[in-house]
């Protein structure tokens, strides 16, 4: 069947919204502004822009899931968290595309980046904030953009996904230390025995605590994918620039290797050894 045989297809859009209008494609597709004439700079820009779009959706889903868990509306939260895991899988695949760029090709335009770096991605830091890893340095980076800095501060001070999961344990009747329930949310979460013991009980009686058990496994999924993303990031950087410093001033591969050792939800991993 040819296009001509599809009599119902709309072709007159003088007064109607088109697909391009709805998606604002002119704005999106004209946002790849190369600073060099090097062929591979287009790849570099698009990979990072696409990743930022996926992170925008990740934040949208994470915040909605946090709100749903606070309201004890678990099934919608599980759907949102499962979607986050699928998004993470897509972002990881982006590294496979970027790794087709060789060191020589990257050197063809690297100087044009100046000190701009993915290290400064405010959305990535907001994802980390939502997962409970609070680092304040990115807030200073955006002093020149007060509205954006305000958003970052709000995310920095807000309860993260694991905070509301721990609150859910307390609502179920588990004895959680008060200093955990009332902790300073601007500090990175640290392992706590009362939280670990509660998760052990959840895993020992999954039928009784089915929602909490499901929640725990959704969190493990997200952390697993996050670590895989971090690993692919580190290996892609190592493949392209070796152990040079990053454009943003970080130690590059050295820094990326360090964060591989960080756990967002440490008790959920410790439980595996204690059951």
């Amino acid at each position: 069947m040819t296009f001509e045989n599809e009599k119902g297809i709309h072709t007159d859009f003088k007064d109607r919204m088109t697909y391009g209008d709805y998606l604002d494609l002119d704005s999106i597709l004209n946002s790849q502004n190369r600073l060099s004439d090097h062929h591979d700079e287009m790849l570099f820009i698009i990979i990072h822009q696409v990743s930022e779009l996926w992170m925008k959706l990740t934040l949208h889903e994470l915040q909605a899931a946090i709100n749903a868990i606070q309201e004890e509306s678990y099934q919608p939260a599980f759907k949102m968290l499962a979607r986050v895991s699928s998004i993470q899988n897509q972002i990881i695949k982006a590294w496979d595309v970027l790794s087709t760029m060789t060191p020589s090709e990257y050197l063809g335009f690297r100087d044009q980046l100046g000190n701009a770096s993915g290290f400064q991605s405010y959305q990535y830091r907001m994802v980390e904030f939502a997962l409970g890893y609070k680092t304040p340095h990115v807030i200073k980076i955006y002093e020149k953009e007060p509205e954006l800095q305000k958003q970052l501060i709000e995310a920095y001070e807000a309860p993260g996904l694991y905070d509301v999961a721990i609150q859910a344990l307390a609502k179920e009747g588990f004895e959680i230390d008060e200093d955990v329930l009332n902790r300073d949310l601007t500090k990175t979460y640290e392992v706590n025995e009362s939280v670990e013991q509660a998760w052990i009980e959840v895993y020992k009686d999954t039928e009784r605590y089915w929602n909490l058990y499901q929640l725990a496994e959704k969190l493990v999924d997200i952390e697993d994918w996050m670590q895989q993303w971090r690993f692919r990031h580190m290996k892609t950087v190592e493949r392209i620039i070796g152990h040079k410093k990053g454009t943003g001033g970080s130690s590059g591969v050295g820094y990326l290797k360090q964060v591989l050792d960080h756990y967002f939800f440490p008790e959920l991993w410790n439980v595996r050894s204690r059951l």
Side-chain angles (χ1 to χ4, degrees):
M1 184 175 289
T2 64
F3 177 83
E4 289 76 11
N5 293 328
E6 290 289 332
K7 303 300 183 184
I9 292 179
H10 297 291
T11 57
D12 182 2
F13 284 93
K14 291 179 180 177
D15 300 309
R16 297 177 182 175
M17 179 177 64
T18 66
Y19 171 80
D21 294 333
Y22 176 69
L23 295 177
D24 198 12
L25 284 181
D26 283 348
S27 175
I28 294 171
L29 298 179
N30 286 295
S31 295
Q32 293 71 48
N33 302 309
R34 290 186 292 170
L35 298 180
S36 74
D37 59 1
H38 197 284
H39 175 82
D40 287 334
E41 190 180 359
M42 182 66 78
L43 164 66
F44 189 82
I45 291 171
I46 288 177
I47 286 292
H48 288 85
Q49 287 182 339
V50 168
S51 294
E52 290 291 336
L53 284 172
W54 279 128
M55 281 190 276
K56 182 173 184 176
L57 183 55
T58 295
L59 288 166
H60 177 72
E61 299 295 339
L62 283 176
Q63 190 54 60
I66 288 169
N67 295 340
I69 294 166
Q70 287 176 315
E71 296 168 3
E72 299 181 60
S73 183
Y74 290 108
Q75 295 307 315
F78 296 158
K79 175 66 180 293
M80 296 162 191
L81 295 177
R83 183 173 292 163
V84 169
S85 292
S86 294
I87 294 167
Q88 290 174 297
N89 185 28
Q90 290 298 312
I91 296 179
I92 290 168
K93 294 296 184 184
W95 295 121
D96 294 338
V97 182
L98 187 59
S99 65
T100 63
M101 185 169 61
T102 69
S104 299
E105 289 163 347
Y106 182 48
L107 285 174
F109 63 88
R110 189 185 191 219
D111 287 347
Q112 301 298 320
L113 301 180
N115 295 127
S117 166
F119 190 77
Q120 298 143 17
S121 169
Y122 69 87
Q123 287 200 129
Y124 177 75
R125 297 305 171 189
M126 289 175 74
V127 169
E128 288 189 328
F129 293 171
L131 298 181
Y133 185 48
K134 303 293 181 78
T135 50
H137 57 264
V138 74
I139 295 173
K140 182 174 177 59
I141 291 171
Y142 286 95
E143 285 179 345
K144 67 176 185 177
E145 299 179 60
E147 284 302 313
L148 178 52
Q149 188 181 48
K150 181 182 176 182
Q151 290 180 42
L152 284 162
I153 292 171
E154 288 175 357
Y156 184 67
E157 296 175 347
L161 184 60
Y162 202 42
D163 294 310
V164 298
I166 292 171
Q167 290 166 8
L169 290 171
K171 289 177 184 176
E172 190 64 31
F174 290 104
E175 293 186 9
I176 305 298
D177 292 343
E178 286 297 319
D179 59 347
V180 174
L181 295 174
N182 300 312
R183 75 185 191 86
D184 181 352
L185 298 178
T186 65
K187 305 296 183 184
T188 296
Y189 179 80
E190 295 182 2
V191 68
N192 175 269
E193 178 60 27
S194 69
V195 173
E196 192 162 312
Q197 191 59 48
W199 286 124
I200 288 172
E201 294 305 313
V202 168
Y203 274 83
K204 282 183 174 179
D205 195 348
T206 59
E207 289 187 12
R208 179 179 178 183
Y209 302 115
W210 183 252
N211 282 331
L212 292 173
Y213 171 60
Q214 287 285 88
L215 175 58
E217 285 299 292
K218 289 292 185 290
L219 298 185
V220 170
D221 288 342
I222 287 173
E223 174 137 30
D224 192 345
W225 283 115
M226 192 70 172
Q227 290 298 74
Q228 291 186 55
W229 183 92
R230 283 172 158 179
F231 179 78
R232 288 296 295 122
H233 184 191
M234 182 270 292
K235 294 306 292 184
T236 302
V237 170
E238 184 176 24
R239 176 173 178 154
I240 296 175
I241 69 167
H243 289 266
K244 293 177 183 175
K245 277 192 173 185
T247 50
S250 75
S251 60
V253 169
Y255 170 79
L256 296 174
K257 283 185 176 180
Q258 288 177 31
V259 296
L260 285 174
D261 294 329
H262 175 262
Y263 285 90
F264 296 100
F265 319 127
E267 293 90 353
L268 292 177
W269 296 92
N270 293 346
V271 161
R272 269 89 180 139
S273 301
R274 294 186 60 181
L275 286 174

